Amino acid sequence: MPETIHFPGTHEIHSTNLIPSSAPCVMLIFGATGDLTKRLLIPALYNLACDGLLSDNFALLGTGRTQLTTEAFHEHMSSEDQGIRKFHTRNTFDEAVWNKLASRLHYVSSNIDDPEDFKKLRDQVVQLDKQYQAGGNVLMYLATSPSLFGQLCAKLRQAGFNDGPGWKRIIIEKPFGTDLESARKLNQEVLAHWEENQIYRIDHYLGKETVQNLLAFRFSNGMFEPLWNKNNIDNIQFNVCEEVDVGSRGGYYDGSGVLRDMMQNHMFQMLAYLCMEPPASFAADSIRNEKAKLLNSVRIFKPEEVARNFVRGQYGATLQHNGTLKSGYRETPNVNPQSNTETFAAGKLYIDNWRWEGVPIYLRSGKALWKRGTEIVVEFKKAPIALFHNTPVERVSSNRLIFNIQPVQGIELLFQAKVPGPLLGLQKVDMRFSYGDAFNVSRYTGYEVMIYACTNGDATLFSRGDLVEAAWKIAQPILDYWKDNLAPEFPNYTRGSWGPKEASELLKRDGRHWYEVATTEILERLPLFKDSDPLLLNSLTMALRPITASAGEFILHRGALTKEMYLISHGEVEIIDSTGQVIETLREGDVFGEISILIATTRIATVRAKTLTDLFVLGKADFCRILRDHPQFAETMLKVAKERYSITLSKEQLMS
């Protein structure tokens, strides 16, 4: 018998891959000519069709103010520059699958203020239901401005969309409210016309495989659950780092900010999945009940506590290396030139329950940062160093479990292992699981599983009304404090950095630091490691230590004997000679001190931060341990030392 697996957002999945298709339905999309539909919803439906997961008894009716015929709608969704051929996520485009799906796409223009247009939509849905034998099932997707959600729900009910056989369900996009009061009001408006079990409040982040895997990982692996508590975990870090700036979304973003746009929904949902108690079952309400308990256990801050535990930032204009000036947030179109809207936020939360008492939960998110990446880092408490008394071991690193959400999806476990040899030495090693390596699957938009689950009545991945309000209760005191108190001097961080210095100081006060997930691409840019083996580069990334230096702060002093190399992630440093003159300025991507990890030598110049500077540091001791662990790379490094730096070394000198 094949093994049966059941995870949220799916029905029973057998090892024979016999996955049932979505339930028959007519899908009615309001806002069908908008970006969300063409960029995400249509590609998601196409992916389901490619995988054989879209019911043959499915039809889509798009509607909006734009005057289009069904034929023109087809052309719009099929175009090379604006349609499926541009936004699909498959490795290759399947023309036959698209043509079959496109034949089931229909369009009717409508005006939300005209009751007759809703009757026209209702008649068209009934006609398509008969044509495609959808059993009366109707899925209504509100891909519109949030200000229209309540009005649409009322008019859909008044037009009779809840009548007749089959199920009737409504998907509501985020944001669900802009604060606690508006979220409560919207809940009242929606539930005045529809039942809670008909409302599916979507958060597309929960459609990402790695987010769903948080539950699978926790509750299908017995080795971790006994460790999942305050006795073993030191802290948890949630990081959503965006390289892009606000761009053309200035009008929306200036009334939102990162706390509303990212933390209150996406990050709090991930927090609930990672930290909730085991549910009674994987039934939707069992999981959502535990999520609600978790969010209701998060400490609600008083004003003075907000000031201590949360910081905010806004990016400013940045002069590029080529002399061009990239505008800051306040120069973005449709943004108030004196705006105090935060484009960065970092904070510390506490969960006041038995499992997590006293464990700090750190959250950080922002625009125009140094990379694109979403990670959850679970840092375990260190083993006692006293055990290694009278051994060569000088320090013990923390074990870390890292959930990589995007752009690469996977899980890493960082722990300590003995370095081969007669003496006791420790080195960090990495056990890594990648979805791309383990499963032969195409990249999804994140909406596939949401649409599929909704048609099958699985609400696990969707927010319930009480969950939405619980998340806003956490965010509201922070919003209130920021509204009533002057922002720090904005802008307070530059494009491409790790964010404002205050974010680093927030953790530094606790004796901790943000764990920056470095990539091998960072090291590949350096002459020392150019064309190196991926295994070596991966080992080195785990040894990189992040530091931040303020403008004017000295990083190195001439004559000092140090054994560290520095890689500038962002900012500028000045190289100062013995007379105190600045002889060179180094910038992002530059490196200094690399010879120090080849040979022990005194510094020939002083290095001072010219601006707020983010750096990665690689120490000689870590470098040597890695080479001892991977001796096959020692010859390569000796060759590099000679050819690129004119330094002749023996293997013993290099690794000592």
Side-chain angles (χ1 to χ4, degrees):
M1 291 290 292
E3 182 182 3
T4 300
I5 308 170
H6 183 274
F7 291 141
T10 71
H11 279 246
E12 289 189 349
I13 298 177
H14 297 282
S15 57
T16 52
N17 293 322
L18 297 177
I19 306 174
S21 67
S22 62
C25 72
V26 176
M27 185 175 180
L28 172 60
I29 299 181
F30 287 88
T33 58
D35 272 2
L36 176 65
T37 300
K38 70 182 180 183
R39 290 175 178 269
L40 296 169
L41 299 185
I42 295 298
L45 291 169
Y46 169 73
N47 282 335
L48 289 173
C50 286
D51 293 337
L53 297 177
L54 190 66
S55 172
D56 289 334
N57 304 105
F58 170 88
L60 183 147
L61 177 61
T63 188
R65 291 181 180 271
T66 306
Q67 297 291 326
L68 287 177
T69 63
T70 290
E71 291 71 23
F73 184 60
H74 285 172
E75 292 178 8
H76 182 61
M77 293 300 165
S78 301
S79 67
E80 294 281 353
D81 58 339
Q82 292 292 320
I84 188 68
R85 287 172 175 79
K86 178 178 181 181
F87 297 116
H88 79 87
T89 60
R90 316 291 288 194
N91 294 327
T92 58
F93 185 71
D94 193 320
E95 195 76 35
V97 171
W98 170 246
N99 288 338
K100 182 179 178 181
L101 175 60
S103 71
R104 293 184 274 173
L105 306 183
H106 305 265
Y107 186 87
V108 175
S109 60
S110 65
N111 185 335
I112 190 174
D113 298 320
D114 189 345
E116 291 302 316
D117 280 0
F118 276 83
K119 293 180 181 178
K120 181 175 63 176
L121 286 173
R122 168 67 177 154
D123 292 341
Q124 185 67 19
V125 167
V126 170
Q127 179 183 329
L128 292 174
D129 176 54
K130 291 179 180 178
Q131 180 180 344
Y132 290 94
Q133 300 179 16
N137 300 331
V138 184
L139 174 57
M140 292 153 275
Y141 201 117
L142 309 189
T144 66
S145 167
S147 63
L148 301 178
F149 292 163
Q151 186 179 354
L152 278 169
C153 286
K155 292 191 173 182
L156 284 167
R157 181 60 182 263
Q158 292 163 7
F161 274 86
N162 201 30
D163 300 336
W167 50 257
K168 310 294 187 291
R169 296 173 186 144
I170 299 177
I171 292 183
I172 299 179
E173 267 288 340
K174 81 169 187 76
F176 198 89
T178 58
D179 55 20
L180 179 57
E181 182 181 356
S182 62
R184 284 173 171 165
K185 182 180 178 182
L186 183 54
N187 266 333
Q188 291 169 1
E189 291 176 354
V190 170
L191 297 177
H193 304 283
W194 300 85
E195 299 296 326
E196 177 64 53
N197 62 13
Q198 294 178 294
I199 303 301
Y200 288 69
R201 301 167 186 82
I202 197 169
D203 183 342
H204 70 273
Y205 243 66
L206 302 188
K208 297 181 183 297
E209 287 291 344
T210 321
V211 176
Q212 297 172 61
N213 200 42
L214 293 176
L215 288 182
F217 181 89
R218 279 196 60 193
F219 301 126
S220 66
N221 295 298
M223 71 178 87
F224 288 103
E225 183 57 29
L227 306 177
W228 219 250
N229 54 56
K230 62 186 178 184
N231 298 323
N232 301 287
I233 293 177
D234 179 79
N235 72 91
I236 301 173
Q237 299 181 18
F238 291 81
N239 179 64
V240 180
C241 184
E242 296 187 83
E243 191 174 10
V244 298
D245 58 18
V246 171
S248 61
R249 299 175 68 221
Y252 159 75
Y253 202 89
D254 209 37
S256 175
V258 72
L259 182 62
R260 288 184 173 96
D261 187 54
M262 186 61 68
M263 285 190 171
Q264 181 274 332
N265 41 66
H266 301 327
M267 299 185 77
F268 287 1
Q269 290 288 328
M270 290 191 290
L271 168 63
Y273 274 142
L274 190 79
C275 297
M276 69 185 225
E277 293 297 318
S281 72
F282 271 79
D285 274 339
S286 289
I287 291 175
R288 297 200 292 181
N289 288 342
E290 294 303 334
K291 287 173 64 178
K293 289 179 186 176
L294 188 284
L295 291 177
N296 282 314
S297 297
V298 174
R299 187 180 303 173
I300 307 299
F301 284 142
K302 299 174 183 176
E304 63 273 16
E305 293 174 320
V306 173
R308 289 198 304 269
N309 293 290
F310 267 81
V311 301
R312 50 181 160 160
Q314 186 187 94
Y315 66 86
T318 303
L319 185 65
Q320 304 295 292
H321 296 168
N322 60 9
T324 61
L325 185 69
K326 295 198 74 172
S327 61
Y329 174 72
R330 291 179 175 180
E331 291 78 55
T332 301
N334 302 315
V335 168
N336 183 342
Q338 285 79 45
S339 174
N340 281 327
T341 298
E342 80 285 356
T343 62
F344 176 97
K348 175 172 62 174
L349 296 176
Y350 287 101
I351 301 170
D352 291 330
N353 64 15
W354 188 281
R355 182 185 291 264
W356 297 112
E357 180 190 19
V359 177
I361 312 292
Y362 299 108
L363 301 96
R364 176 179 58 162
S365 182
K367 295 280 189 183
L369 297 175
W370 70 293
K371 69 167 187 176
R372 173 180 177 245
T374 299
E375 306 97 17
I376 303 172
V377 181
V378 180
E379 183 171 328
F380 292 88
K381 292 183 176 180
K382 293 181 181 179
I385 187 64
L387 295 175
F388 296 92
H389 185 60
N390 293 328
T391 75
V393 176
E394 297 178 355
R395 59 187 175 89
V396 177
S397 299
S398 298
N399 301 138
R400 292 183 176 95
L401 181 64
I402 304 172
F403 297 89
N404 294 299
I405 309 298
Q406 66 175 12
V408 177
Q409 299 191 45
I411 301 172
E412 297 179 67
L413 179 61
L414 277 60
F415 59 97
Q416 309 250 78
K418 180 184 178 297
V419 177
L423 298 178
L424 179 60
L426 299 178
Q427 180 180 314
K428 287 185 287 187
V429 294
D430 185 13
M431 291 182 65
R432 179 175 298 182
F433 155 72
S434 168
Y435 270 92
D437 295 337
F439 299 111
N440 183 24
V441 295
S442 296
R443 183 169 59 89
Y444 270 15
T445 68
Y447 280 80
E448 292 84 358
V449 70
M450 313 302 283
I451 295 171
Y452 177 88
C454 186
T455 68
N456 286 303
D458 188 341
T460 304
L461 300 176
F462 297 86
S463 280
R464 210 167 51 192
D466 58 333
L467 281 167
V468 172
E469 293 187 18
W472 276 118
K473 287 178 183 177
I474 302 168
Q476 192 62 53
I478 305 166
L479 292 171
D480 291 342
Y481 181 83
W482 286 352
K483 180 182 178 181
D484 296 338
N485 292 269
L486 289 176
E489 187 175 344
F490 280 169
N492 61 350
Y493 73 97
T494 55
R495 290 169 170 270
S497 69
W498 297 343
K501 182 71 178 295
E502 291 82 359
S504 298
E505 293 171 348
L506 178 69
L507 269 69
K508 191 175 182 179
R509 290 198 299 268
D510 295 342
R512 301 182 178 93
H513 63 83
W514 293 106
Y515 184 77
E516 304 292 350
V517 179
T519 62
T520 56
E521 288 78 10
I522 293 173
L523 290 169
E524 286 174 335
R525 297 198 301 261
L526 307 182
L528 182 60
F529 300 116
K530 185 179 179 181
D531 301 322
S532 292
D533 188 282
L535 179 60
L536 173 63
L537 294 177
N538 184 59
S539 298
L540 289 169
T541 59
M542 290 185 289
L544 294 177
R545 178 169 53 89
I547 65 169
T548 298
S550 300
E553 182 178 340
F554 287 95
I555 301 169
L556 293 174
H557 290 276
R558 183 176 181 273
L561 180 63
T562 57
K563 301 179 180 181
E564 294 175 320
M565 178 190 81
Y566 296 80
L567 167 63
I568 303 173
S569 176
H570 181 78
E572 297 182 350
V573 303
E574 298 173 323
I575 309 300
I576 304 171
D577 66 11
S578 59
T579 66
Q581 298 298 310
V582 176
I583 58 175
E584 189 178 3
T585 298
L586 301 181
R587 299 177 176 86
E588 178 178 327
D590 289 334
V591 63
F592 57 91
E594 63 268 38
I595 292 178
S596 295
I597 63 170
L598 296 174
I599 58 173
T601 182
T602 57
R603 303 290 181 174
I604 61 173
T606 295
V607 181
R608 179 178 62 201
K610 183 178 180 181
T611 65
L612 182 68
T613 305
D614 302 320
L615 308 104
F616 283 109
V617 183
L618 176 63
K620 170 78 170 178
D622 287 325
F623 179 66
C624 291
R625 283 198 297 269
I626 292 169
L627 289 185
R628 284 194 294 268
D629 197 28
H630 303 287
Q632 68 270 29
F633 300 131
E635 292 295 336
T636 302
M637 290 294 101
L638 291 174
K639 185 177 180 182
V640 167
K642 185 173 183 179
E643 293 181 354
R644 299 176 187 172
Y645 300 94
S646 300
I647 297 174
T648 301
L649 298 171
S650 67
K651 187 178 295 187
E652 290 72 21
Q653 288 175 308
L654 176 68
M655 298 171 62
S656 62

